[in-house]
Amino acid sequence: MDAVKTRFAPSPTGHLHVGSARTALFSYLLARRTGGTFLLRIEDTDRARHQEEAVAQIVEDLRWLGLGWDEGVGVGGPAGPYVQSERLTIYRDAVQRLLDAGKAYYAFESAEELDALRAAAEANKQAFRYVRPDPLPSRADADRAAAEGRPVVVRLLCPGQDVTIHDEVFGDVTIPAEQQDDFIIQKADGYPTYHLANVVDDQAMGVTFILRGQEFLGQTWRHKLLREAFGYPEPRYAHLPLILDMQGKKLSKREGSVDVFSFRRAGYLPEAMVNFIALLGWSPGTKEERFTLAELEAQFSVERLGKANAKFDRDKLLAFNTDAIAAASPERLLAAFKDFLSVNPEAPMAGQSDETLRRVLEVTVGFRTFQDVIDKAGFIFLPDEAIAYDEKAVQKVLAKNDGEGWAMLQTLMPVLREAEWSAEALEKLLNGICEQQGIGMGKVAQPIRVAVSGTTISPAIFDTLVLLGREKTLARIDRCLSRHG
RNA sequence: GGCCCCAUCGUCUAGUGGCCUAGGACACCGGGUUUUCAUCCCGGCAACACGGGUUCGAACCCCGUUGGGGUCACCA
């Protein structure tokens, strides 16, 4: 395929949603695959919804995923600015051109009047369509309405013909003329609507291939009509099937944890996220399932995009993450873990040295997310007083069989006090005790585990003790023993 | 409700008329490794929504039904 120019154009309403992340990913991949360019534009034409931090959050999320852009916000380019609220005069000029050409006109209905018409249409079981006034209001009419305090908007004068969209995923889709009406292109506050700004910018910025969610497919007729009115050429379109939650509903922010930042905070690797998301609506056509970003850049193609909506299966994401962690080098893992801690500053091991962190990662091998590392080894870094004893663990491991666990701890105290403090030496020592008493390792390791962690979950016991240190180990066993009395 | 779109295991999907007694992955179930929790290894269960056509032959083509989703804003 020839080099294409794609774009990702989110509106700043918070962190990057996984659906948006996939749109960004595919747009990025298509640009890379064709040797084209990928640009980032911010569509902030809604003054009410605008969130100040959102742009920075989206940029951060894209960077975390590893999706760099060649042009746009933060990096500049020939068609800037790349934030729509800074391009208002461009849109106003564009609207004026349409007005001058008689392809758009003013309208003054209030929101209440429109709502009433909509309600009436619905009561009548009919779809609401704006009825074009005849004759069309003049500029003087608009000025008068404005003077009376009425809202003045601009609507596009639609030709009233069926419009067919050529979509690379869904094929030709025709929207009947009866379904169209003269939609608003400039709001009463002077801001352009999404449709107007989007079309004007895609043209101004040279975008040749538009990838976006399927929810826009039924509205693309507006963009095509706008382009015809301006005399713009048509770009190529590829609408992506939607990502639904496991209940089959559209993934919404309200249900929580569906933005990439929440997965970052939960201890997922960006490479796993990218790999998993890439397979939602796209398939390489082979049995291969694990891909790096670079491999995706080499293999992605719009021909292999599917049409059916996909459900977002967290279990599968978890499996991808497990594999990505297993495949990561120690250095990569350390860097990712530190990134995780940077967004989880309250974590017990936040602030520990690289050496310690590396060690923690080693002894917790098998973890599926970085949160698992905290769940499994976080107690080591807690103050001794913060260790809470799980009643069931205490019962099962210490109290059962006439308190044989407690007895074991009593036996162990003096031994550990004199022990050489290394994993090898400790292992040898405890193995000796097992042989001597003719018992299994569980009988000695478990009581120690519960005493030091409060639970039956920890890294291998020798590693745990070494990381904890002799002093804390003895203090915790002592504390556990004294609680028993 | 009008319009648009979609339809293979519970989930993501492979499959473009014969290579399909439908393949892979996740989940699930069973077993194994293990000082805990995990990881890991082995095995198993499991789908072409339904009904009509077309064809020598249909998961693949056509029509209908059903089901699901999207969209009908001065939000994007």
Side-chain angles (χ1 to χ4, degrees):
Chain A
M1 190 187 288
D2 291 340
V4 299
K5 189 163 187 178
T6 62
R7 47 74 163 171
F8 177 54
S11 58
T13 55
H15 273 291
L16 195 61
H17 188 268
V18 298
S20 306
R22 186 194 54 171
T23 300
L25 205 215
F26 288 176
S27 300
Y28 165 89
L29 293 176
L30 184 60
R32 286 287 169 279
R33 177 67 205 277
T34 63
T37 59
F38 175 51
L39 81 83
L40 175 66
R41 177 175 74 226
I42 298 297
E43 309 214 329
D44 58 342
T45 55
D46 184 350
R47 290 203 276 187
R49 283 203 206 183
H50 186 261
Q51 287 181 30
E52 201 50 49
E53 345 70 81
V55 175
Q57 291 173 332
I58 289 169
V59 164
E60 184 183 353
D61 294 338
L62 286 170
R63 292 242 159 85
W64 181 72
L65 288 172
L67 308 181
W69 50 100
D70 314 298
E71 184 180 332
V73 177
V75 306
Y82 293 92
V83 175
Q84 292 188 329
S85 59
E86 295 170 16
R87 302 169 61 80
L88 265 21
T89 59
I90 294 173
Y91 309 126
R92 216 154 296 172
D93 288 350
V95 170
Q96 192 54 243
R97 258 181 285 143
L98 256 23
L99 246 12
D100 293 344
K103 292 176 175 173
Y105 61 91
Y106 296 101
F108 334 111
E109 291 79 8
S110 66
E112 295 71 37
E113 289 169 330
L114 254 14
D115 284 345
L117 288 167
R118 253 186 285 274
E122 194 175 338
N124 238 346
K125 284 201 165 184
Q126 288 183 319
F128 168 75
R129 290 180 65 227
Y130 180 78
V131 178
R132 183 184 304 164
D134 185 24
L136 258 22
S138 66
R139 178 60 199 255
D141 294 330
D143 288 343
R144 198 173 318 118
E148 289 169 9
R150 298 184 66 88
V152 179
V153 303
V154 178
R155 287 178 182 267
L156 184 76
L157 194 146
C158 296
Q161 287 165 0
D162 293 358
V163 173
T164 297
I165 307 301
H166 302 289
D167 186 85
E168 313 253 349
V169 171
F170 293 99
D172 285 1
V173 177
T174 300
I175 304 298
E178 316 82 70
Q179 295 297 315
Q180 308 166 18
D181 69 355
D182 293 344
F183 60 94
I184 295 174
I185 58 176
Q186 186 174 86
K187 311 178 203 177
D189 65 4
Y191 273 58
T193 58
Y194 155 71
H195 304 294
L196 188 282
N198 187 270
V199 163
V200 167
D201 283 348
D202 280 340
Q203 176 62 24
M205 297 175 185
V207 173
T208 60
F209 207 121
I210 295 172
L211 289 104
R212 51 162 54 142
Q214 193 196 159
E215 68 265 32
F216 294 103
L217 181 55
Q219 309 198 56
T220 304
W221 61 272
R222 294 193 167 100
H223 300 189
K224 184 163 186 184
L225 256 23
L226 233 16
R227 283 179 171 273
E228 279 172 9
F230 282 121
Y232 295 162
E234 275 287 283
R236 296 170 70 179
Y237 292 104
H239 285 86
L240 277 10
L242 270 15
I243 299 177
L244 312 173
D245 62 25
M246 285 308 278
Q247 281 69 46
K249 298 278 169 72
K250 196 175 171 185
L251 263 193
S252 80
K253 272 196 171 153
R254 280 160 283 294
E255 71 158 309
S257 299
V258 282
D259 57 77
V260 306
F261 186 71
S262 67
F263 285 103
R264 180 182 176 192
R265 268 184 58 93
Y268 286 79
L269 250 29
E271 45 269 53
M273 205 73 211
V274 163
N275 191 168
F276 178 68
I277 279 178
L279 264 17
L280 256 26
W282 179 81
S283 158
T286 63
K287 286 180 180 174
E288 230 182 315
E289 231 179 8
R290 301 305 144 110
F291 300 98
T292 62
L293 222 211
E295 289 167 338
L296 290 170
E297 288 176 28
Q299 290 201 39
F300 183 79
S301 71
V302 304
E303 293 78 44
R304 296 216 52 90
L305 247 15
K307 302 178 180 183
N309 293 342
K311 295 197 175 88
F312 189 78
D313 186 354
R314 289 159 192 272
D315 288 337
K316 186 146 184 169
L317 204 213
L318 217 210
F320 272 55
N321 204 57
T322 306
D323 287 357
I325 283 170
S329 69
E331 284 318 297
R332 166 63 194 137
L333 223 43
L334 175 63
F337 189 43
K338 286 168 76 173
D339 172 72
F340 166 76
L341 292 175
S342 77
V343 293
N344 287 284
E346 73 295 345
M349 55 277 269
Q352 292 292 327
S353 69
D354 282 9
E355 199 188 340
T356 300
L357 259 21
R358 219 189 307 267
R359 193 78 197 111
V360 167
L361 256 10
E362 281 169 11
V363 305
T364 51
V365 280
F367 62 91
R368 313 192 71 183
T369 67
F370 287 130
Q371 181 58 47
D372 290 348
V373 175
I374 288 183
D375 293 343
K376 191 165 174 175
F379 74 90
I380 293 171
F381 304 92
L382 253 24
D384 295 344
E385 322 80 68
I387 300 300
Y389 297 97
D390 173 51
E391 237 0 90
K392 280 172 72 179
V394 171
Q395 271 308 315
K396 185 181 176 194
V397 176
L398 300 176
K400 223 170 72 177
N401 294 335
D402 286 333
E404 65 174 6
W406 297 114
M408 177 56 73
L409 288 179
Q410 296 283 9
T411 308
L412 256 16
M413 273 300 267
V415 179
L416 290 175
R417 194 166 297 147
E418 303 303 324
E420 181 192 331
W421 215 257
S422 73
E424 302 73 37
L426 252 12
E427 176 164 14
K428 205 171 167 191
L429 184 67
L430 297 192
N431 268 326
I433 292 177
C434 289
E435 273 178 43
Q436 192 184 4
Q437 303 197 8
I439 55 178
M441 180 55 79
K443 291 290 186 192
V444 10
Q446 284 299 75
I448 300 176
R449 203 181 317 269
V450 173
V452 245
S453 76
T455 71
T456 56
I457 301 170
S458 88
I461 200 65
F462 315 113
D463 293 327
T464 301
L465 298 190
V466 170
L467 234 19
L468 236 198
R470 185 203 309 272
E471 206 177 315
K472 281 176 150 302
T473 299
L474 295 175
R476 289 188 187 186
I477 293 178
D478 199 45
R479 176 168 176 262
C480 182
L481 245 17
S482 65
R483 273 174 49 100
H484 176 236

